[in-house]
Amino acid sequence: MFLTIVTQYSSKLAKIFGKSSGANGKLKVIFHDFPGGAEGFELMLRFCYNNGKSNITPSNLLLAHCAAEYMEMNESVTNVSNLLDQTEKSLQGINFWTWSEILIGLKQCQNLLVDDSCVMLEKCLDTIVGRLVLASEASPCPSTCSNDSSSGIRFSCDSKSTESIKTNFARSTWWFEDLLFLTPLVVAMLVKSMLSSKMDHHVISRFLLYYQKAKFSTAMTDEKCKIIEMVIDMHYIMDRSSVSLKTLFGILRVTLCLNISKCGRNKLENMIGFQLDQVTLDNLLVPSPYGINYLYDVNLVLRFLKAFLRQGTGAVAPIRMKKVASLIDLYIAEIAPDPCLKTSKFLALATSIPDFARDSCDELYHAMDMYLEVHTQLSQEEKLKICCGLNYEKLSPQACLHLSKNKKFPSKSAVQALISEQSKLKNLLHATTTPISTPYNESLCGSSSASQKGKKDKTSEQLVLYAGNFDIQPDNEKLRAHLQGMQWRVMELEKICRKMQTQMAKMTKSKASGHSYAKSLPKLCS
């Protein structure tokens, strides 16, 4: 009796029992992967014993559909539609379901472990997204009102009370709590459907953060990793403008104590790196991972910088590059006193910024000064490597003067700073003398000649750039003051150069090497 009733509706059972007709009624069939387990099997039997009639509701529709697919119930009997056709017909009315009925169906789809539920799941998700889009259009979030809106909308937004804004915000987020039962996999499917439907990215981002915070309270470590990776992946495919740096650094702080995948971590670091010009120094002061002696995570900042530079200099505006250069110089100055910071890491940060991005290297010089003050054990070779990241041409006269007296720096760096300053002074004097009249040139040449004759033998051992009294027309008062200032700096540099020659002669250990260096130094300063 049982076989007769069931096999006429299920092609799968008909095939099984048809092949084993000689088993004398002793055949035993076990379905280990039946959709919905006992509940799904019972639903299928009710359909068979009620002569193809069943009470299909949103609460059992998806379960019945999966059971019909599994049991191959796709053939009609005596003018009675098969179970598969009935469920598909009922599914066409999903747009008329209530919100709670859609959620019930969605829970069933999520719990079913068969491939057939994926199609049903997509239909449920699309229906939910459609409802949310309609709701957002009916009551838009107040954040969408901008200064570019029409005067009527602008007046409405500006005149809203705090309570009214809170109410509108609640209208755009009322569904957050209802969808917390979803798994990270289903949430990812939901968000992709939202994005394809042009739903507000800011609202989607808030939902993801709400979901993460709510689920983390009860989730185990492995579950937390899956959740945060899903949140990162979804933010990565959204508009960059919709994801604030505050949000990204909040996610970063969460990942510090989790062992998430390398792919997920790279996506997060790239999102932050793309906006590095908007980052503050406090954002970059991330503690080092466990087992690293550095005070701050220097490698993380280097990866941020690499992601920013990967966009290409053509895609990055010069003003953005200069902001990043200023930020990195501040960061270098902050980490320089760290006694555990290796020279290679310090130099990697100093040289990672393109030279054109820095208008001045004074900040970088001060950072190097602090680093050398703390790391007194460095060899001359290591100190020279650090100084390689310094562009002496971009040091101010004050920084050059400080460097020339700084015993922490190699003597070669001090000489290079003086040479650089001398070159800048020569170029400036040459540029300023070109448009001046002939009497000025003659006066300049005459004073220079007199100066050279008066010094005689000393001129071969010191820097001579004295320019006498300038004969400048009355309407060039600014130029007069500038050149007088330049004269004073030149004379100061002459004194410094003479002192350096004396000190270098005393410090020479080998006569041969000392003699050759003493000869080459005046040439460098000339």
Side-chain angles (χ1 to χ4, degrees):
M1 180 69 178
F2 169 78
L3 292 177
T4 304
I5 295 175
V6 175
T7 54
Q8 64 179 337
Y9 293 105
S10 173
S11 300
K12 189 169 189 175
L13 286 177
K15 293 176 183 177
I16 293 174
F17 289 107
K19 292 180 180 179
S20 54
S21 56
N24 298 324
K26 296 181 180 180
L27 182 64
K28 184 178 181 180
V29 180
I30 300 176
F31 298 109
H32 294 285
D33 54 351
F34 198 94
E39 183 181 358
F41 190 77
E42 181 182 354
L43 188 62
M44 183 270 297
L45 288 180
R46 286 180 182 175
F47 175 81
C48 296
Y49 276 90
N50 287 335
N51 297 321
K53 297 178 182 179
S54 62
N55 183 22
I56 298 177
T57 64
S59 61
N60 63 18
L61 169 62
L62 301 176
L63 185 60
H65 179 84
C66 292
E69 281 279 357
Y70 185 83
M71 297 299 292
E72 300 178 10
M73 302 176 72
N74 52 4
E75 294 184 3
S76 302
V77 179
T78 60
N79 299 324
V80 177
S81 298
N82 59 68
L83 182 58
L84 189 60
D85 288 342
Q86 291 185 32
T87 56
E88 290 180 349
K89 185 177 181 180
S90 299
L91 189 61
Q92 294 175 1
I94 192 173
N95 292 329
F96 301 101
W97 292 7
T98 64
W99 177 259
S100 58
E101 289 174 339
I102 298 175
L103 294 181
I104 292 173
L106 190 57
K107 287 180 182 178
Q108 285 189 355
C109 285
Q110 184 174 253
N111 295 333
L112 294 175
L113 302 178
V114 292
D115 294 336
D116 301 323
S117 64
C118 291
V119 177
M120 313 294 289
L121 180 60
E122 290 176 358
K123 290 184 178 180
C124 285
L125 294 176
D126 290 342
T127 304
I128 285 180
V129 172
R131 298 284 179 90
L132 295 178
V133 171
L134 289 176
S136 64
E137 292 174 352
S139 57
C141 178
S143 64
T144 58
C145 296
S146 64
N147 293 330
D148 297 331
S149 304
S150 63
S151 58
I153 296 178
R154 182 162 60 249
F155 175 80
S156 175
C157 289
D158 293 340
S159 62
K160 287 181 181 294
S161 64
T162 303
E163 292 299 324
S164 179
I165 292 176
K166 288 181 179 179
T167 301
N168 284 335
F169 179 78
R171 287 177 182 172
S172 65
T173 61
W174 58 268
W175 49 274
F176 286 8
E177 187 72 25
D178 292 342
L179 300 180
L180 290 181
F181 68 88
L182 298 178
T183 63
L185 178 62
V186 178
V187 169
M189 296 175 63
L190 175 67
V191 170
K192 289 177 181 178
S193 180
M194 289 176 174
L195 294 175
S196 63
S197 299
K198 309 298 181 183
M199 198 167 167
D200 188 356
H201 289 203
H202 293 87
V203 176
I204 299 174
S205 178
R206 285 200 295 267
F207 166 66
L208 289 170
L209 297 177
Y210 183 89
Y211 176 85
Q212 173 213 321
K213 184 177 180 180
K215 301 292 278 188
F216 263 40
S217 58
T218 57
M220 302 297 290
T221 302
D222 291 343
E223 295 173 324
K224 289 181 179 179
C225 290
K226 292 180 180 179
I227 292 170
I228 201 67
E229 286 176 6
M230 180 274 298
V231 171
I232 293 172
D233 289 341
M234 294 302 101
H235 276 102
Y236 191 74
I237 60 177
M238 292 164 58
D239 292 337
R240 295 178 188 173
S241 59
S242 64
V243 187
S244 67
L245 280 170
K246 182 180 179 181
T247 297
L248 294 176
F249 276 101
I251 296 174
L252 178 65
R253 285 191 293 271
V254 173
T255 61
L256 293 179
C257 56
L258 295 175
N259 187 24
I260 67 172
S261 66
K262 185 177 180 180
C263 179
R265 196 173 295 278
N266 288 341
K267 288 181 179 179
L268 178 59
E269 291 173 358
N270 285 337
M271 284 189 285
I272 295 175
F274 292 154
Q275 306 177 61
L276 192 58
D277 56 309
Q278 303 175 34
V279 174
T280 64
L281 177 60
D282 290 338
N283 294 142
L284 295 184
L285 299 179
V286 179
S288 288
Y290 179 77
I292 305 274
N293 293 330
Y294 308 150
L295 184 60
Y296 298 112
D297 195 346
V298 179
N299 292 327
L300 177 65
V301 176
L302 285 171
R303 292 195 295 271
F304 287 160
L305 188 55
K306 184 178 179 181
F308 180 81
L309 297 175
R310 197 182 298 127
Q311 300 175 88
T313 55
V316 180
I319 188 171
R320 293 183 62 201
M321 188 69 74
K322 292 181 184 297
K323 285 182 179 180
V324 171
S326 178
L327 174 67
I328 295 300
D329 286 349
L330 290 174
Y331 181 76
I332 294 174
E334 189 69 26
I335 65 171
D338 184 359
C340 297
L341 184 62
K342 293 182 179 179
T343 304
S344 59
K345 297 299 178 184
F346 183 91
L347 188 59
L349 281 170
T351 57
S352 58
I353 297 294
D355 185 63
F356 72 87
R358 285 190 178 101
D359 293 328
S360 171
C361 285
D362 285 12
E363 290 293 335
L364 182 59
Y365 164 69
H366 292 313
M368 290 181 175
D369 186 35
M370 283 189 287
Y371 185 80
L372 293 177
E373 184 174 356
V374 175
H375 300 78
T376 56
Q377 76 285 358
L378 296 180
S379 63
Q380 285 292 110
E381 184 179 357
E382 290 176 317
K383 290 181 180 180
L384 286 172
K385 284 183 179 179
I386 292 176
C387 294
C388 288
L390 197 61
N391 186 345
Y392 299 94
E393 298 290 336
K394 293 188 177 182
L395 288 176
S396 65
Q398 294 80 6
C400 282
L401 184 63
H402 188 274
L403 173 56
S404 63
K405 300 177 180 180
N406 197 335
K407 296 181 180 180
K408 295 187 290 289
F409 280 75
S411 55
K412 185 176 181 181
S413 297
V415 173
Q416 287 179 338
L418 288 173
I419 294 173
S420 174
E421 186 64 12
Q422 176 194 352
S423 176
K424 287 188 288 185
L425 292 174
K426 278 186 174 181
N427 293 336
L428 184 56
L429 286 172
H430 177 72
T432 54
T433 56
T434 302
I436 305 300
S437 60
T438 304
Y440 168 75
N441 292 331
E442 293 174 355
S443 174
L444 179 62
C445 295
S447 59
S448 298
S449 301
S451 175
Q452 291 175 358
K453 289 179 181 179
K455 295 188 183 288
K456 294 182 180 180
D457 296 336
K458 292 184 179 180
T459 55
S460 60
E461 299 177 359
Q462 66 184 33
L463 178 66
V464 181
L465 280 175
Y466 182 64
N469 295 323
F470 294 99
D471 182 16
I472 305 177
Q473 297 178 1
D475 57 343
N476 287 330
E477 291 298 327
K478 291 184 179 180
L479 182 60
R480 182 196 301 274
H482 185 68
L483 290 176
Q484 287 176 348
M486 296 297 295
Q487 282 181 296
W488 179 84
R489 287 198 292 269
V490 168
M491 289 186 291
E492 287 293 319
L493 288 172
E494 289 177 359
K495 296 177 183 178
I496 294 167
C497 193
R498 288 197 297 271
K499 289 181 181 179
M500 286 188 59
Q501 285 179 311
T502 304
Q503 291 176 359
M504 291 303 298
K506 292 180 180 180
M507 293 173 60
T508 304
K509 295 180 180 180
S510 173
K511 291 184 179 181
S513 60
H515 181 67
S516 62
Y517 191 86
K519 279 188 174 181
S520 62
L521 187 57
K523 294 180 181 180
L524 289 173
C525 296
S526 60

